[in-house]
Amino acid sequence: MAQRSAARATDRFERKREAILDAATEILNRKGVKGLTLGVAAAAVDLSTTSVTYYFKRKDDLAAACMMRGIEAMHWSMEQALTEPTREARLHRLLTLHLERLRLTAVGEAPPLPVLSDLRALNQPRRGEVRKAYGKMFRKLREIFESADLDWLTRGRRTARTHMLLEQLLWAPAWIGKYDPEDYDRVRDRMYDILAEGMAAERSAWGPVPIPVSELAPRDRQEMSRETFLLAATRLINSRGYKGASVDKISAELNVTKGSFYHHNDAKDDLVVACFDRTFEVMTRVQRLAMALPGDQWTHLSSAAAALAEYQLSEHGPLLRVSALTALPEPIRRQMVQHSDRVSDRFASMISDGIAEGSIRPVDPFIAAQMLNATLNAGAELGYWVPGVSQKAAPAVFARPLLMGIFGK
């Protein structure tokens, strides 16, 4: 009798804990670590804050538990995929499992996967624990590229392709809501086709036309001063998250007073918006410079992708990671998402025109543009994953595998 009572108590505990995690994950995905509090999570499941502390003592404990649960789910999918006999079958199985999880979430049969990009906002020791689990998941995914027929790939290139592939999985929830859940199998097939075969038509070779990074730099002194300010803030936000990039740290990085900071920006959210505006302006400028080049749409697309991959590792980079969106108030976030969508839509137009002229394979332009956008955004962290990779090597190491096929030379 005592054992049955203990088992029922354990079951109740686990069900309530899972309910708290489900609700907290939705809050985390909307508001980031900054907006997830024990009180907000408690209200979402009709509990008092004191009751939630019985399961999670601190906010960081709750946020970390959400992320760890998501990492474990993705790690399981990777393990299942790796049981397949070929690299192509492994990739297809991975996408199948991941898209099925997104489908179950869309129809209300599974909780959402957590946004992992905000893990930098966690405090120690939770940040270290989540990073360790993330690294283990990353290494598991990299096994897709560790086969005899890919022995020509260096460790750095395997790691770069793993980073790009993982970004596709993490970014998919941001755009897949455009589709009905019953269409997710089709989305899976289109994603697999792009990853396995690339976007280039058979006659289109890799040979992007250089777009000098210097053409993207500000010209006059006032613009250069503001660029310096925004670049320092971008680097801090990318590396430490919104919460970790405090006004004090940004001011110290630039050796200016907090008064000088508030002279340029009314509030920290204004600074994040300015960093996003700078990012979208650079991407738009690159797209327009590429579209003005002689040649076909494949030349335009590959040249834009190469220039942005290179820019991320230049003295003018990186661009702001989209992960910072979760820290913004929802009305401002929607506005920034619209800006991001315009960049993606422009890529989709280039891809569509390339398909019509025959320089780009018949791929889904919308999905291809989202995948390209995700890849270029992830380029901000390429130097972290592949230490020592040069600015000039970035296009071939990172952009080319998506455009020419993830398993190709």
Side-chain angles (χ1 to χ4, degrees):
M1 179 71 71
Q3 288 179 334
R4 286 198 297 271
S5 297
R8 285 196 295 270
T10 299
D11 288 344
R12 285 196 300 271
F13 179 91
E14 288 301 322
R15 285 197 300 273
K16 184 61 69 176
R17 184 179 185 276
E18 290 299 303
I20 294 169
L21 287 174
D22 290 352
T25 299
E26 293 185 3
I27 298 166
L28 179 69
N29 288 353
R30 290 199 321 270
K31 300 183 177 182
V33 171
K34 172 194 172 190
L36 174 63
T37 66
L38 294 180
V40 171
V45 289
D46 295 323
L47 289 176
S48 67
T49 302
T50 302
S51 297
V52 171
T53 60
Y54 179 65
Y55 299 87
F56 303 98
K57 297 295 184 186
R58 299 176 182 84
K59 178 178 87 168
D60 267 24
D61 298 334
L62 177 56
C66 292
M67 294 182 188
M68 291 291 279
R69 189 175 67 161
I71 290 172
E72 289 166 4
M74 294 184 69
H75 192 276
W76 178 86
S77 295
M78 294 166 190
E79 287 183 321
Q80 298 304 305
L82 287 168
T83 62
E84 297 294 334
T86 66
R87 62 194 188 189
E88 291 83 5
R90 292 169 188 165
L91 176 61
H92 193 274
R93 179 81 182 280
L94 176 64
L95 293 174
T96 297
L97 292 169
H98 190 67
L99 270 291
E100 174 60 12
R101 174 55 188 267
L102 297 185
R103 187 193 69 79
L104 291 173
T105 298
V107 298
E109 296 180 12
L113 291 169
V115 172
L116 299 176
S117 51
D118 212 22
L119 70 86
R120 299 174 185 82
L122 295 173
N123 296 310
Q124 295 292 8
R126 296 292 174 250
R127 183 168 72 243
E129 293 166 358
V130 176
R131 276 192 181 279
K132 183 177 179 180
Y134 188 95
K136 183 179 178 182
M137 176 186 68
F138 188 96
R139 291 189 294 274
K140 178 59 64 175
L141 181 59
R142 190 167 57 193
E143 290 181 30
I144 284 182
F145 302 100
E146 294 174 358
S147 58
D149 52 355
L150 293 174
D151 59 2
W152 51 271
L153 276 174
T154 64
R155 182 177 178 82
R157 287 178 180 265
R158 283 192 181 98
T159 298
R161 293 178 191 217
T162 303
H163 177 42
M164 185 269 281
L165 176 56
L166 183 55
E167 191 68 18
Q168 304 308 325
L169 303 181
L170 297 176
W171 182 242
W175 55 263
I176 201 167
K178 174 184 173 68
Y179 297 92
D180 290 328
E182 53 265 34
D183 293 328
Y184 282 17
D185 283 350
R186 176 190 176 278
V187 173
R188 185 247 354 252
D189 291 342
R190 300 304 182 268
M191 290 181 70
Y192 173 80
D193 177 58
I194 291 165
L195 286 167
E197 303 296 335
M199 301 183 202
E202 188 173 348
R203 65 178 176 82
S204 298
W206 178 257
V209 177
I211 298 175
V213 171
S214 58
E215 291 192 29
L216 307 175
R219 305 286 182 183
D220 60 55
R221 180 175 296 181
Q222 183 176 357
E223 282 188 3
M224 290 175 65
S225 174
R226 181 163 178 75
E227 171 79 1
T228 301
F229 198 92
L230 294 178
L231 180 55
T234 294
R235 287 172 175 168
L236 276 172
I237 295 169
N238 280 356
S239 64
R240 303 184 188 181
Y242 178 93
K243 180 181 173 184
S246 66
V247 173
D248 286 334
K249 289 174 182 174
I250 295 169
S251 300
E253 183 84 5
L254 292 168
N255 196 28
V256 299
T257 65
K258 289 175 68 173
S260 178
F261 173 93
Y262 287 113
H263 174 72
H264 286 87
N265 303 275
D266 292 333
K268 190 173 166 184
D269 285 348
D270 296 326
L271 177 63
V272 178
V273 169
C275 290
F276 269 121
D277 285 341
R278 168 184 174 269
T279 291
F280 298 141
E281 181 184 346
V282 168
M283 296 187 76
T284 299
R285 220 180 318 164
V286 168
Q287 289 175 321
R288 299 213 180 280
L289 287 169
M291 292 165 70
L293 292 170
D296 54 25
Q297 292 294 337
W298 165 251
T299 300
H300 299 166
L301 184 72
S302 59
S303 299
L308 287 167
E310 188 175 336
Y311 185 94
Q312 293 279 34
L313 294 182
S314 74
E315 62 180 330
H316 305 290
L319 300 171
L320 189 63
R321 291 281 272 142
V322 292
S323 56
L325 280 170
T326 56
L328 291 173
E330 291 194 34
I332 301 176
R333 189 190 317 165
R334 285 194 295 270
Q335 182 182 356
M336 294 300 101
V337 168
Q338 288 173 356
H339 287 189
S340 178
D341 286 346
R342 284 198 288 271
V343 172
S344 289
D345 289 346
R346 195 171 294 109
F347 277 134
S349 294
M350 295 164 71
I351 293 167
S352 181
D353 290 346
I355 294 169
E357 72 182 11
S359 65
I360 293 176
R361 292 178 60 245
V363 297
D364 186 302
F366 173 81
I367 294 175
Q370 290 291 340
M371 293 174 72
L372 179 57
N373 224 14
T375 298
L376 296 174
N377 188 262
E381 294 180 346
L382 181 59
Y384 170 82
W385 288 107
V386 189
V389 63
S390 69
Q391 173 187 337
K392 293 297 182 184
V397 169
F398 202 58
R400 178 173 176 167
L402 177 68
L403 294 175
M404 301 293 289
I406 200 169
F407 298 124
K409 289 188 178 182

Coordinates of all heavy atoms in Angstrom, one line a residue, residues 218 222-238 245 250-251 253-254 256 261 264-265 267-282 285 311 315-321:
P218 N 30.4 52.3 -43.4 CA 30.0 53.7 -43.5 C 31.1 54.6 -44.0 O 32.3 54.4 -43.9 CB 29.7 54.0 -42.0 CG 30.5 53.0 -41.2 CD 30.5 51.8 -42.1
Q222 N 30.4 60.7 -38.8 CA 29.2 60.5 -37.9 C 28.7 59.1 -38.0 O 28.4 58.4 -37.0 CB 28.1 61.5 -38.2 CG 26.9 61.4 -37.3 CD 25.8 62.5 -37.6 OE1 26.0 63.3 -38.5 NE2 24.7 62.4 -36.9
E223 N 28.6 58.6 -39.3 CA 28.2 57.2 -39.5 C 29.1 56.2 -38.9 O 28.7 55.2 -38.3 CB 28.0 57.0 -41.0 CG 26.7 57.5 -41.6 CD 26.6 57.1 -43.0 OE1 27.4 56.3 -43.5 OE2 25.6 57.5 -43.7
M224 N 30.4 56.5 -39.0 CA 31.5 55.6 -38.5 C 31.4 55.6 -36.9 O 31.5 54.5 -36.3 CB 32.9 56.1 -38.9 CG 33.1 55.9 -40.4 SD 34.7 56.6 -40.9 CE 35.8 55.5 -40.0
S225 N 31.1 56.7 -36.3 CA 31.0 56.7 -34.8 C 29.8 55.9 -34.4 O 29.9 55.1 -33.5 CB 30.8 58.2 -34.4 OG 30.5 58.2 -33.0
R226 N 28.7 56.0 -35.1 CA 27.5 55.2 -34.7 C 27.7 53.7 -35.0 O 27.3 52.9 -34.3 CB 26.2 55.7 -35.4 CG 25.0 55.0 -35.1 CD 23.7 55.8 -35.5 NE 22.5 55.0 -35.2 CZ 22.0 54.9 -34.0 NH1 22.6 55.4 -33.0 NH2 20.8 54.2 -33.9
E227 N 28.4 53.5 -36.1 CA 28.7 52.1 -36.5 C 29.5 51.4 -35.4 O 29.3 50.3 -35.1 CB 29.4 52.1 -37.8 CG 30.0 50.7 -38.2 CD 29.0 49.8 -38.8 OE1 27.8 50.2 -38.9 OE2 29.3 48.6 -39.2
T228 N 30.5 52.1 -34.9 CA 31.4 51.6 -33.8 C 30.5 51.2 -32.6 O 30.7 50.2 -32.0 CB 32.5 52.6 -33.4 OG1 33.3 52.9 -34.6 CG2 33.4 52.1 -32.3
F229 N 29.6 52.1 -32.3 CA 28.7 51.9 -31.1 C 27.9 50.6 -31.3 O 27.8 49.8 -30.5 CB 27.9 53.1 -30.9 CG 27.3 53.2 -29.6 CD1 27.9 53.9 -28.5 CD2 26.0 52.6 -29.3 CE1 27.3 53.9 -27.3 CE2 25.5 52.7 -28.1 CZ 26.1 53.4 -27.0
L230 N 27.2 50.6 -32.5 CA 26.3 49.5 -32.8 C 27.1 48.1 -32.9 O 26.6 47.1 -32.5 CB 25.5 49.8 -34.1 CG 24.6 50.9 -34.0 CD1 23.9 51.1 -35.3 CD2 23.5 50.7 -32.9
L231 N 28.3 48.2 -33.5 CA 29.0 46.9 -33.7 C 29.4 46.4 -32.3 O 29.3 45.2 -32.1 CB 30.3 47.2 -34.5 CG 31.2 46.0 -34.8 CD1 30.4 44.9 -35.4 CD2 32.3 46.4 -35.7
A232 N 29.9 47.2 -31.4 CA 30.2 46.8 -30.0 C 29.0 46.1 -29.3 O 29.1 45.1 -28.7 CB 30.8 47.9 -29.2
A233 N 27.9 46.8 -29.5 CA 26.7 46.3 -28.9 C 26.3 44.9 -29.5 O 25.9 44.0 -28.8 CB 25.5 47.3 -29.0
T234 N 26.4 44.9 -30.8 CA 26.0 43.6 -31.5 C 26.9 42.5 -31.0 O 26.4 41.4 -30.8 CB 26.2 43.8 -33.0 OG1 25.2 44.8 -33.5 CG2 26.0 42.5 -33.8
R235 N 28.2 42.7 -30.9 CA 29.1 41.6 -30.5 C 28.7 41.2 -29.1 O 28.8 40.0 -28.8 CB 30.5 42.1 -30.6 CG 31.0 42.2 -32.0 CD 32.4 42.9 -32.1 NE 32.9 42.8 -33.5 CZ 33.9 43.5 -33.9 NH1 34.6 44.3 -33.1 NH2 34.3 43.5 -35.2
L236 N 28.4 42.1 -28.2 CA 28.1 41.7 -26.8 C 26.8 41.0 -26.7 O 26.7 40.0 -26.0 CB 28.0 43.0 -25.9 CG 29.4 43.5 -25.4 CD1 29.2 44.8 -24.7 CD2 30.0 42.5 -24.4
I237 N 25.8 41.4 -27.5 CA 24.5 40.8 -27.4 C 24.6 39.4 -28.0 O 24.0 38.4 -27.5 CB 23.4 41.6 -28.2 CG1 23.2 42.9 -27.5 CG2 22.1 40.8 -28.3 CD1 22.4 43.9 -28.3
N238 N 25.4 39.2 -29.1 CA 25.5 37.9 -29.7 C 26.3 36.9 -28.8 O 25.9 35.7 -28.7 CB 26.4 38.0 -31.0 CG 25.5 38.4 -32.2 OD1 24.3 38.6 -32.1 ND2 26.1 38.6 -33.3
A245 N 24.3 41.6 -22.0 CA 24.9 42.8 -22.6 C 24.3 44.0 -21.9 O 23.4 44.7 -22.4 CB 24.6 42.8 -24.1
I250 N 28.4 47.5 -22.2 CA 28.5 48.1 -23.6 C 29.3 49.4 -23.4 O 30.1 49.7 -24.3 CB 27.1 48.4 -24.1 CG1 26.3 47.1 -24.4 CG2 27.2 49.2 -25.4 CD1 24.9 47.3 -24.8
S251 N 29.0 50.2 -22.4 CA 29.7 51.5 -22.2 C 31.2 51.2 -21.9 O 32.1 51.9 -22.5 CB 29.1 52.2 -21.0 OG 27.7 52.5 -21.3
E253 N 32.9 48.6 -22.9 CA 33.5 48.1 -24.2 C 34.0 49.3 -25.0 O 35.0 49.2 -25.7 CB 32.5 47.3 -24.9 CG 33.0 46.6 -26.2 CD 33.7 45.3 -25.9 OE1 33.8 44.8 -24.8 OE2 34.3 44.8 -26.9
L254 N 33.2 50.3 -25.0 CA 33.5 51.5 -25.9 C 34.3 52.6 -25.1 O 34.6 53.6 -25.7 CB 32.2 52.1 -26.4 CG 31.4 51.2 -27.4 CD1 30.1 51.8 -27.6 CD2 32.2 51.1 -28.7
V256 N 33.1 54.6 -22.9 CA 32.3 55.8 -22.8 C 31.5 55.7 -21.5 O 31.3 54.7 -20.9 CB 31.4 56.0 -24.0 CG1 32.2 56.1 -25.2 CG2 30.4 54.8 -24.1
F261 N 25.9 56.7 -23.5 CA 25.0 55.6 -24.0 C 23.6 56.2 -24.2 O 23.0 56.0 -25.3 CB 25.0 54.4 -23.1 CG 24.0 53.4 -23.5 CD1 24.4 52.3 -24.2 CD2 22.7 53.5 -23.0 CE1 23.5 51.3 -24.6 CE2 21.8 52.5 -23.4 CZ 22.2 51.4 -24.2
H264 N 22.8 58.4 -27.1 CA 22.6 57.8 -28.4 C 21.3 57.0 -28.4 O 20.7 56.8 -29.4 CB 23.7 56.8 -28.7 CG 25.0 57.5 -29.2 ND1 26.0 57.9 -28.3 CD2 25.4 57.8 -30.4 CE1 27.0 58.5 -28.9 NE2 26.7 58.4 -30.2
N265 N 20.9 56.5 -27.2 CA 19.7 55.6 -27.2 C 18.9 55.9 -25.9 O 19.4 56.0 -24.8 CB 20.2 54.1 -27.1 CG 21.1 53.7 -28.2 OD1 20.6 53.4 -29.3 ND2 22.4 53.8 -28.0
A267 N 16.7 53.8 -24.6 CA 16.6 52.7 -23.7 C 17.4 51.5 -24.4 O 17.7 51.6 -25.6 CB 15.2 52.3 -23.5
K268 N 17.6 50.4 -23.7 CA 18.3 49.3 -24.2 C 17.6 48.7 -25.4 O 18.2 48.2 -26.4 CB 18.6 48.3 -23.1 CG 19.5 47.2 -23.5 CD 19.8 46.3 -22.3 CE 20.5 45.1 -22.6 NZ 20.7 44.2 -21.4
D269 N 16.2 48.6 -25.3 CA 15.5 48.1 -26.4 C 15.7 48.9 -27.7 O 15.8 48.3 -28.8 CB 14.0 48.1 -26.1 CG 13.6 47.0 -25.1 OD1 14.5 46.1 -24.9 OD2 12.5 47.0 -24.6
D270 N 15.9 50.2 -27.6 CA 16.1 51.0 -28.7 C 17.5 50.6 -29.4 O 17.6 50.7 -30.6 CB 16.2 52.5 -28.3 CG 14.8 53.0 -27.8 OD1 13.8 52.5 -28.3 OD2 14.8 53.9 -26.9
L271 N 18.4 50.3 -28.5 CA 19.7 49.9 -29.0 C 19.6 48.6 -29.8 O 20.2 48.4 -30.9 CB 20.7 49.7 -27.9 CG 22.1 49.2 -28.3 CD1 22.8 50.2 -29.2 CD2 23.0 48.9 -27.0
V272 N 18.9 47.6 -29.3 CA 18.7 46.3 -30.0 C 18.0 46.6 -31.4 O 18.4 46.0 -32.4 CB 17.8 45.3 -29.2 CG1 17.6 44.0 -29.9 CG2 18.5 45.0 -27.8
V273 N 17.0 47.4 -31.4 CA 16.3 47.8 -32.6 C 17.3 48.4 -33.6 O 17.3 48.1 -34.8 CB 15.1 48.7 -32.4 CG1 14.6 49.3 -33.7 CG2 14.0 48.0 -31.6
A274 N 18.2 49.3 -33.1 CA 19.2 49.9 -34.0 C 20.1 48.9 -34.5 O 20.6 49.0 -35.7 CB 19.9 51.0 -33.2
C275 N 20.5 47.9 -33.7 CA 21.4 46.8 -34.2 C 20.7 46.0 -35.2 O 21.4 45.6 -36.2 CB 21.8 46.0 -33.0 SG 23.0 46.8 -31.8
F276 N 19.4 45.7 -35.1 CA 18.7 45.0 -36.1 C 18.6 45.8 -37.4 O 18.8 45.3 -38.5 CB 17.3 44.6 -35.6 CG 17.2 43.3 -34.9 CD1 16.8 43.2 -33.6 CD2 17.6 42.1 -35.6 CE1 16.7 41.9 -33.0 CE2 17.5 40.9 -35.0 CZ 17.1 40.8 -33.7
D277 N 18.3 47.1 -37.2 CA 18.2 47.9 -38.4 C 19.5 47.9 -39.2 O 19.5 47.9 -40.5 CB 17.9 49.4 -38.0 CG 16.4 49.5 -37.6 OD1 15.6 48.7 -38.0 OD2 16.1 50.5 -36.9
R278 N 20.6 48.0 -38.5 CA 21.9 47.9 -39.1 C 22.1 46.6 -39.9 O 22.6 46.5 -41.0 CB 23.0 48.1 -38.1 CG 24.4 47.8 -38.6 CD 25.5 47.9 -37.5 NE 26.8 47.4 -37.9 CZ 27.2 46.2 -37.8 NH1 26.4 45.2 -37.3 NH2 28.4 45.8 -38.3
T279 N 21.7 45.5 -39.2 CA 21.8 44.2 -39.8 C 21.0 44.1 -41.1 O 21.5 43.6 -42.1 CB 21.4 43.1 -38.8 OG1 22.3 43.0 -37.7 CG2 21.3 41.7 -39.5
F280 N 19.8 44.5 -41.0 CA 18.9 44.4 -42.2 C 19.4 45.3 -43.3 O 19.3 45.0 -44.5 CB 17.5 44.7 -41.9 CG 16.9 43.7 -40.9 CD1 16.1 44.1 -39.8 CD2 17.2 42.3 -40.9 CE1 15.5 43.2 -38.9 CE2 16.7 41.4 -40.0 CZ 15.8 41.9 -39.0
E281 N 19.9 46.5 -42.9 CA 20.4 47.4 -43.9 C 21.6 46.8 -44.7 O 21.7 46.9 -45.9 CB 20.9 48.7 -43.3 CG 21.4 49.8 -44.2 CD 21.9 51.0 -43.5 OE1 21.6 51.2 -42.3 OE2 22.6 51.8 -44.1
V282 N 22.5 46.2 -43.9 CA 23.7 45.5 -44.6 C 23.2 44.4 -45.5 O 23.7 44.3 -46.7 CB 24.7 45.0 -43.5 CG1 25.7 44.0 -44.2 CG2 25.4 46.1 -42.8
R285 N 21.7 45.9 -48.6 CA 22.7 46.5 -49.5 C 23.4 45.4 -50.3 O 23.7 45.5 -51.5 CB 23.6 47.3 -48.7 CG 24.0 48.6 -49.4 CD 24.9 49.5 -48.5 NE 24.6 49.5 -47.1 CZ 25.4 49.9 -46.2 NH1 26.7 50.3 -46.5 NH2 25.1 49.9 -44.9
Y311 N 31.4 38.8 -44.6 CA 31.2 40.0 -43.8 C 31.1 39.6 -42.3 O 31.6 40.3 -41.4 CB 29.8 40.6 -44.2 CG 29.6 41.9 -43.5 CD1 30.0 43.1 -44.1 CD2 28.9 42.0 -42.3 CE1 29.7 44.4 -43.4 CE2 28.7 43.2 -41.6 CZ 29.1 44.4 -42.2 OH 28.8 45.5 -41.5
E315 N 36.2 42.7 -40.0 CA 36.3 43.6 -38.9 C 35.0 44.4 -38.7 O 34.7 45.0 -37.7 CB 37.4 44.6 -39.2 CG 37.2 45.5 -40.5 CD 38.3 46.4 -40.7 OE1 38.9 46.9 -39.8 OE2 38.6 46.7 -41.9
H316 N 34.1 44.4 -39.7 CA 32.8 45.1 -39.7 C 31.7 44.2 -39.1 O 30.6 44.6 -38.8 CB 32.4 45.6 -41.0 CG 33.4 46.4 -41.7 ND1 33.7 47.7 -41.3 CD2 34.2 46.2 -42.8 CE1 34.6 48.2 -42.1 NE2 34.9 47.3 -43.0
G317 N 32.0 42.9 -38.9 CA 31.0 41.9 -38.5 C 31.1 41.7 -37.0 O 32.0 42.2 -36.3
P318 N 30.2 40.9 -36.4 CA 29.1 40.2 -37.1 C 27.9 41.0 -37.2 O 27.8 42.1 -36.7 CB 28.9 38.9 -36.2 CG 29.2 39.5 -34.8 CD 30.3 40.5 -35.0
L319 N 26.8 40.4 -37.8 CA 25.5 40.9 -37.8 C 24.8 40.4 -36.6 O 25.2 39.4 -36.0 CB 24.8 40.5 -39.1 CG 25.4 41.0 -40.4 CD1 24.7 40.4 -41.6 CD2 25.4 42.6 -40.5
L320 N 23.7 41.0 -36.2 CA 23.0 40.6 -35.0 C 22.2 39.3 -35.2 O 21.5 39.2 -36.2 CB 22.0 41.7 -34.5 CG 21.3 41.5 -33.2 CD1 22.4 41.6 -32.1 CD2 20.3 42.6 -32.9
R321 N 22.4 38.4 -34.3 CA 21.7 37.1 -34.4 C 20.2 37.3 -34.1 O 19.8 38.1 -33.3 CB 22.2 36.1 -33.4 CG 23.6 35.6 -33.6 CD 23.6 34.6 -34.7 NE 23.4 33.3 -34.1 CZ 22.7 32.3 -34.7 NH1 22.0 32.5 -35.8 NH2 22.6 31.1 -34.1

